[in-house]
Amino acid sequence: MSVRAKKHLGQHFLKDESIAENIANSLTLNGYSHVLEIGPGMGVLTKYILQKDITTHVIEIDRESVEYLQTHYLNLAPRIIEKDFLKIDLNEYFRDKQLAIIGNFPYNISTQILFKTIENRTMIPEFSGMFQKEVAQRIAEKEGSKTYGILSVLTQAFYEVEYLFTVPPSVFNPPPKVDSGVIRMIRKENYTLPVNEKFFFQVVKTAFNQRRKMLRSSLKSLNLSDKLREDTIFTMRPEQLSVDAFIKLTAKIENDGIGN
Ligand code: SAH
């Protein structure tokens, strides 16, 4: 018996074994000895991860899928977490472990999964995941492009992102309406920012809220001094700023007022 796909859980089961294997092979196995797969379903990806020299954990919200995994992957049973990934405290389950995250998970929670990963980056050195193609491209995009935005900057501040490959709807059951894309993120060696992180997030979000405007006007709400507003960086639009430029911009605004 296989699991019947449930729409409300975003279930699109991968039926192409070689794609499943390719996703599993995207793990570099560098710098961690545990991996957590989000949304294993019937384990199409899981079985290839289990072949690797690494401790595999899975988190699955669907009772029926959990029962399927328990009967088909006996060795995995103690490391199946039947929970909502978005709701668990990763520290509680994995404490001081370094943990890779992998998965073909639902599109409708994929951005939240990404943000949870960024939040927990001290314990997550690597992440490989399937997204709606456009979202995957946006995460990996560099400055100077229309699709470069909040997701790109906030992710790339902490991770090197690589767009690996595109996956067509036909390899899923049931097929989704859109193409998918797989990305891999590897945590940067130095992933602590030299500025206040919350403020950095605020600057990036505020700037992209009005992406066609010059920073001088989109960042007005941050009460910049007249002197700072003369800095040429404020004549730029957010999509022209690299991640480093955003960090420097944040530092400038943080220091605004000092010496005035
Ligand atoms: N990885 C499998 C299944 C993909 S479908 C495959 O490629 O075939 C997405 C899976 O995510 C489903 O099994 C669904 O039950 C699970 N899921 C949905 N929301 C979840 C959540 N919040 N936490 C954990 N798993 C979730």
Side-chain angles (χ1 to χ4, degrees):
M1 276 282 285
S2 57
V3 176
R4 186 181 45 86
K6 298 168 204 72
K7 204 170 180 181
H8 74 284
L9 292 177
Q11 292 179 337
H12 295 277
F13 298 112
L14 193 56
K15 53 183 192 185
D16 185 313
E17 293 290 330
S18 66
I19 292 178
E21 191 172 8
N22 283 342
I23 299 174
N25 284 342
S26 72
L27 291 170
T28 67
L29 307 179
N30 246 340
Y32 52 87
S33 47
H34 294 260
V35 60
L36 173 64
E37 184 192 353
I38 303 173
M42 287 180 278
V44 62
L45 189 56
T46 323
K47 63 173 174 289
Y48 295 104
I49 304 170
L50 284 168
Q51 291 172 6
K52 298 188 181 292
D53 186 19
I54 193 167
T55 308
T56 306
H57 308 255
V58 300
I59 180 160
E60 173 57 66
I61 201 171
D62 177 32
R63 179 93 274 262
E64 200 186 347
S65 295
V66 167
E67 278 171 6
Y68 182 97
L69 294 165
Q70 282 167 340
T71 48
H72 289 79
Y73 301 91
L74 295 178
N75 295 336
L76 181 67
R79 288 179 308 282
I80 300 175
I81 306 169
E82 187 180 345
K83 286 262 161 46
D84 178 342
F85 174 73
L86 297 178
K87 293 201 178 137
I88 68 155
D89 176 356
L90 284 172
N91 259 305
E92 199 178 291
Y93 285 86
F94 299 102
R95 292 188 184 273
D96 304 325
K97 295 192 177 78
Q98 291 291 297
L99 179 77
I101 286 192
I102 193 167
N104 166 32
F105 32 69
Y107 299 124
N108 61 347
I109 60 167
S110 63
T111 312
Q112 286 162 279
I113 290 175
L114 178 68
F115 279 122
K116 182 159 182 160
T117 299
I118 293 173
E119 255 168 51
N120 288 280
R121 64 189 172 278
T122 55
M123 59 192 305
I124 308 175
E126 194 175 298
F127 175 105
S128 286
M130 175 111 70
F131 291 80
Q132 192 177 321
K133 185 184 174 188
E134 283 70 23
V135 178
Q137 286 172 327
R138 219 179 305 147
I139 299 167
E141 192 61 88
K142 293 290 180 197
E143 68 273 16
S145 144
K146 264 191 192 157
T147 49
Y148 178 71
I150 296 173
L151 274 188
S152 337
V153 179
L154 298 187
T155 309
Q156 293 169 36
F158 308 107
Y159 289 90
E160 302 287 351
V161 184
E162 200 182 338
Y163 184 95
L164 297 180
F165 52 89
T166 302
V167 183
S170 57
V171 300
F172 297 93
N173 178 29
K177 292 200 172 67
V178 292
D179 277 340
S180 305
V182 176
I183 58 168
R184 176 174 57 205
M185 306 172 3
I186 296 180
R187 193 176 59 198
K188 292 181 173 176
E189 212 144 284
N190 185 359
Y191 56 92
T192 39
L193 301 183
V195 293
N196 179 292
E197 215 164 86
K198 280 210 174 103
F199 189 53
F200 172 74
F201 277 48
Q202 190 191 345
V203 169
V204 174
K205 285 179 181 164
T206 311
F208 278 108
N209 267 341
Q210 293 171 287
R211 66 178 296 139
R212 299 158 74 85
K213 293 203 175 151
M214 286 187 207
L215 297 171
R216 194 161 54 200
S217 93
S218 60
L219 295 183
K220 240 179 200 151
S221 64
L222 300 178
N223 283 327
L224 313 174
S225 69
D226 290 342
K227 184 163 166 264
L228 186 64
R229 275 154 44 88
E230 279 162 27
D231 193 309
T232 50
I233 196 167
F234 289 96
T235 62
M236 295 175 68
R237 291 179 176 76
E239 66 190 41
Q240 296 175 287
L241 263 61
S242 67
V243 171
D244 280 345
F246 263 110
I247 294 171
K248 288 199 183 103
L249 171 70
T250 307
K252 277 185 183 175
I253 303 175
E254 270 184 345
N255 295 327
D256 190 23
I258 296 176
N260 279 350

